């Protein structure tokens, strides 16, 4: 049996929640006693951290079957306050939704995707530092491709996706539905966001955005030219945290840098440097187009099309076009420099 002696109760909310302090570390934590839970969810969150997810310090099951969870104590305002604030500029409000979708992408990108299933304004916190945290994983579950439905129907009426009431199994699109409903409430006078929100919250999951990243990409590129671009770190291959993608990406980057360092195309240093610059710029632009690295090229037609064949075809064509333009510009610059030095 677990030793509770290291935790001192500071405040008793109810039978399910207490504010406690670890007297060894001094950390103030939230202690929860859950009757509905998927233990695998907490096992994953305990060993895999993300800035949008409260830290799970430890968890253990009581002999009664309840799960005790000790997690990070988060302070701030919930999305209820944000959604109701009509004075907040749309760009500011939207930036919080982009952060929310980053957190969902972390959950959905787990080796076995984690579906929150109870996303609602009161379960999303904006901290005093402006960070978005996704709370309460009581209803969260591990997605099982072989299942045809959820074993337990949980969620909040009016915001939970229809499939959570027995139509089919919840998947990442179920969380997308909830975000769509919140977008509808948060931007009542923004027709462009309302259109995107309507698609995100379609009754049929097939008509929604397939995951949080796709919805984030659409919001980032369409709503405002002043929206910040996606962060460039981590680079492609490292963002999903899947070990095989990280391995392949690491091998590619090491191989590429090794060959770049040893590259020697000409005894003319100007020509050699021009070739290296061409290779680097072409590689960065190609990666950006193919992986939506920065999101700059997502405005191009068909780049985010839901049809995989069209998406890949047009990305390939745009990469060829970009390489041609870069090669042309490099040739012009090189010819100019050569003409000036004669």
């Amino acid at each position: 049996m677990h030793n509770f002696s290291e935790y001192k109760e500071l405040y008793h909310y109810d039978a399910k929640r207490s504010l406690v302090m670890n007297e060894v570390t001094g950390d103030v934590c939230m202690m929860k006693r859950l009757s509905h839970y998927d233990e695998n969810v907490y096992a994953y969150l305990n060993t895999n951290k993300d800035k949008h997810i409260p830290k799970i310090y430890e968890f253990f099951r009581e002999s009664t079957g309840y799960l005790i969870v000790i997690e990070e104590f988060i302070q701030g305002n919930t999305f209820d306050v944000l959604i109701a604030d009509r004075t907040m500029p749309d760009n500011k409000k939207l930036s919080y939704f982009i952060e929310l979708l980053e957190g969902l992408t972390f959950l959905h990108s787990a080796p076995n995707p984690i579906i929150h299933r109870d996303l609602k304004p009161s379960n999303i916190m904006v901290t005093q530092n402006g960070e978005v945290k996704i709370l309460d994983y009581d209803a969260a579950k591990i997605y099982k491709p072989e299942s045809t439905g959820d074993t337990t129907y949980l969620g909040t009426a009016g915001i939970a996706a229809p499939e959570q009431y027995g139509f089919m199994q919840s998947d990442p699109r179920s969380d997308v539905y909830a975000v769509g409903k919140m977008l509808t409430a948060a931007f009542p006078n923004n027709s462009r966001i309302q259109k995107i929100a309507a698609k995100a919250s379609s009754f049929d999951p097939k008509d929604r955005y397939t995951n949080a990243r796709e919805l984030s990409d659409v919001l980032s590129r369409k709503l405002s030219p002043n929206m910040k671009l996606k962060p460039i770190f981590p680079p492609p291959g490292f963002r999903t945290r899947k070990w095989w993608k990280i391995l392949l990406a690491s091998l590619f980057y090491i191989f590429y840098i090794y060959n770049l360092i040893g590259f020697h195309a000409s005894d003319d240093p100007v020509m050699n440097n021009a070739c290296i610059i061409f290779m680097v710029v072409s590689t960065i632009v190609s990666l950006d187009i193919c992986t939506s690295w920065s999101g700059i090229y997502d405005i191009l037609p068909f780049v985010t099309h839901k049809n995989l064949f069209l998406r890949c075809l047009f990305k390939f064509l745009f990469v060829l076009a970009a390489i041609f333009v870069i090669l042309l510009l490099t040739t012009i610059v090189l010819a100019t420099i050569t003409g000036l030095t004669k």
Side-chain angles (χ1 to χ4, degrees):
M1 190 169 181
H2 191 272
N3 182 14
F4 284 96
S5 61
E6 61 190 51
Y7 292 102
K8 176 184 178 182
E9 186 174 71
L10 302 177
Y11 185 80
H12 185 78
Y13 291 96
D14 50 42
K16 294 182 177 180
R17 299 177 304 148
S18 294
L19 188 66
V20 299
M21 183 178 69
N22 186 317
E23 295 190 292
V24 176
T25 65
D27 292 327
V28 175
C29 315
M30 181 67 73
M31 178 182 287
K32 295 182 178 180
R33 189 168 183 259
L34 308 177
S35 57
H36 294 287
Y37 57 86
D38 185 331
E39 196 167 340
N40 293 318
V41 170
Y42 289 97
Y44 182 83
L45 298 181
N46 177 244
T47 56
N48 297 270
K49 312 299 182 184
D50 184 83
K51 67 178 182 178
H52 300 300
I53 312 297
K55 296 175 184 176
I56 304 298
Y57 295 116
E58 56 183 310
F59 64 96
F60 48 93
R61 189 187 300 187
E62 288 184 320
S63 58
T64 57
Y66 284 91
L67 189 73
I68 303 300
V69 178
I70 310 295
E71 65 178 44
E72 180 183 7
F73 175 55
I74 306 297
Q75 290 181 290
N77 291 319
T78 64
F79 256 41
D80 296 282
V81 177
L82 180 145
I83 287 175
D85 188 352
R86 302 305 180 201
T87 64
M88 183 182 294
D90 278 1
N91 281 359
K92 179 66 174 176
K93 190 178 294 187
L94 187 59
S95 68
Y96 291 130
F97 275 91
I98 297 298
E99 282 202 46
L100 166 62
L101 290 166
E102 287 176 2
L104 283 179
T105 297
F106 163 77
L107 295 174
H108 295 168
S109 298
N112 295 309
I114 295 173
I115 316 304
H116 191 283
R117 295 203 303 166
D118 196 22
L119 279 176
K120 55 186 177 182
S122 60
N123 280 346
I124 305 163
M125 187 81 75
V126 179
T127 69
Q128 296 170 344
N129 296 327
E131 291 184 340
V132 173
K133 301 280 188 178
I134 304 173
L135 312 178
D136 294 341
Y137 294 86
D138 311 28
K141 56 164 283 210
I142 298 290
Y143 174 65
K144 299 174 182 177
E146 70 277 5
S147 298
T148 57
D150 291 345
T151 55
T152 304
Y153 307 141
L154 297 171
T156 300
I159 199 165
E163 60 269 21
Q164 292 181 224
Y165 298 100
F167 292 98
M168 61 184 70
Q169 183 188 192
S170 302
D171 65 20
R173 295 171 298 183
S174 303
D175 288 341
V176 167
Y177 179 95
V179 177
K181 286 294 186 182
M182 286 187 281
L183 284 168
T184 300
F187 301 93
N189 301 317
N190 191 315
S191 60
R192 288 178 291 179
I193 299 184
Q194 288 294 318
K195 183 177 179 180
I196 292 171
K199 177 176 173 62
S201 55
S202 297
F203 183 88
D204 190 338
K206 295 178 182 178
D207 296 330
R208 301 175 203 155
Y209 300 103
T210 55
N211 51 47
R213 176 173 284 125
E214 184 178 349
L215 176 54
S216 177
D217 289 346
V218 172
L219 288 172
S220 296
R221 77 172 186 268
K222 284 188 174 181
L223 298 181
S224 171
N226 298 318
M227 280 297 297
K228 63 180 182 180
L229 296 175
K230 297 177 186 176
I232 62 174
F233 187 84
F238 292 83
R239 293 176 295 178
T240 63
R241 298 179 175 85
K242 293 184 178 179
W243 71 266
W244 63 272
K245 287 187 177 182
I246 293 174
L247 177 61
L248 290 177
S250 298
L251 291 174
F252 168 76
Y253 292 132
I254 291 172
F255 178 78
Y256 182 80
I257 294 172
Y258 174 80
N259 283 276
L260 196 65
I261 293 174
F263 181 79
H264 184 78
S266 170
D267 291 332
D268 183 352
V270 175
M271 174 67 75
N272 201 62
N273 290 335
C275 290
I276 292 175
I277 293 173
F278 166 74
M279 290 170 59
V280 171
V281 174
S282 297
T283 301
I284 292 174
V285 172
S286 298
L287 277 174
D288 206 344
I289 293 173
C290 292
T291 65
S292 295
W293 186 1
S294 70
I296 293 175
Y297 299 99
D298 287 353
I299 61 172
L300 295 172
F302 297 100
V303 163
T304 58
H305 198 279
K306 64 181 180 180
N307 184 292
L308 179 63
F309 174 76
L310 287 177
R311 190 164 70 244
C312 292
L313 173 62
F314 277 88
K315 283 186 176 183
F316 175 72
L317 293 175
F318 288 132
V319 166
L320 289 181
I323 291 175
F324 175 77
V325 171
I326 295 168
L327 178 60
L328 181 62
L329 292 174
T330 303
T331 303
I332 293 173
V333 171
L334 191 60
T336 302
I337 294 174
T338 302
L340 292 174
T341 55
K342 288 183 177 179

